[in-house]
Amino acid sequence: MKKKEEISRKLYESSPLNRFRKIDIKLLNTINELSLKEKLNILLHSFKNYDKNYNYELCLSFPTLWNEFEGHDLKFLIKNMFPRNFNIYHDKIKYLNTGEFFDIILLNGIFGVSPFKYIFEELLIDNEERNEFYDYFKLFGEVNFYPDLRELMEDIVDFYEIHVIEDIMNMKNKLLQQSSFELVMPHSIILDKYK
């Protein structure tokens, strides 16, 4: 089994991953020693294979998996999440693993930076994928990609280590300073801009 799959599986089996978790110290040390590329691969594997709630816990419990990333690392993550495993048919979702969109949730809903300019203007994906993503965003983006920030902060205070708030703010500031991403824009503005 590949290292990313083995570590991802061990983390998944440790769920729930909030601050009340019981996690193997050896596994924790292994995570802390991973290279940036290995951390990216673990997040890619987790986002593609596990659900939204698990990935939420993973990212808030282990900010060390992302807190050293630069803008280009997060763009790599977004790029490698395509093609996304969903299908819209007559405005209804036939199959959807919302973990497949957790890169967007992480950026837009947790870090507070918008990945949509990158997806719609810079990312080299075919028109069909871009249109499918836009259709999904139109129908479900406001609910799935714009979590309540007050609720997020309450969750962190109640269930995670408080320092994750500082990691989130540092990441947001770094990404904005690097001009990698823009501040979050309302759903309606994104819809109008890229229709």
Side-chain angles (χ1 to χ4, degrees), residues 49-75:
N49 291 284
Y50 304 124
D51 67 34
K52 175 182 170 184
N53 291 335
Y54 168 76
N55 285 301
Y56 185 80
E57 287 182 356
L58 177 69
C59 289
L60 294 181
S61 294
F62 296 100
T64 187
L65 285 172
W66 50 260
N67 66 7
E68 295 176 355
F69 287 171
E70 302 289 329
H72 63 87
D73 298 312
L74 290 161
K75 287 181 177 182

Side-chain angles (χ1 to χ4, degrees), residues 26 56 78 109 122 135 161 180 183:
K26 186 177 174 185
Y56 185 80
I78 294 168
E122 300 172 41
D135 289 343
E161 303 297 335
S180 299
L183 279 172

Side-chain angles (χ1 to χ4, degrees), residues 40 44 47-48 71-84 100 103-104 107 114-116 118-119 123 125 133 181:
L40 273 167
L44 275 167
F47 293 176
K48 286 185 175 241
H72 63 87
D73 298 312
L74 290 161
K75 287 181 177 182
F76 174 87
L77 183 66
I78 294 168
K79 179 181 178 204
N80 285 282
M81 289 299 293
F82 282 93
R84 307 224 178 219
E100 294 254 356
D103 55 324
I104 310 299
L107 285 155
S114 176
F116 302 113
Y118 174 67
I119 292 170
L123 184 60
I125 57 175
F133 184 84
F181 300 98

Side-chain angles (χ1 to χ4, degrees), residues 8 36 46 55 66 72 81 102 107 147 159 174 177 193-194:
S8 294
L36 283 180
S46 295
N55 285 301
W66 50 260
H72 63 87
M81 289 299 293
F102 203 80
L107 285 155
F159 299 109
K174 182 196 313 186
Q177 286 173 356
K193 188 172 182 178
Y194 297 110

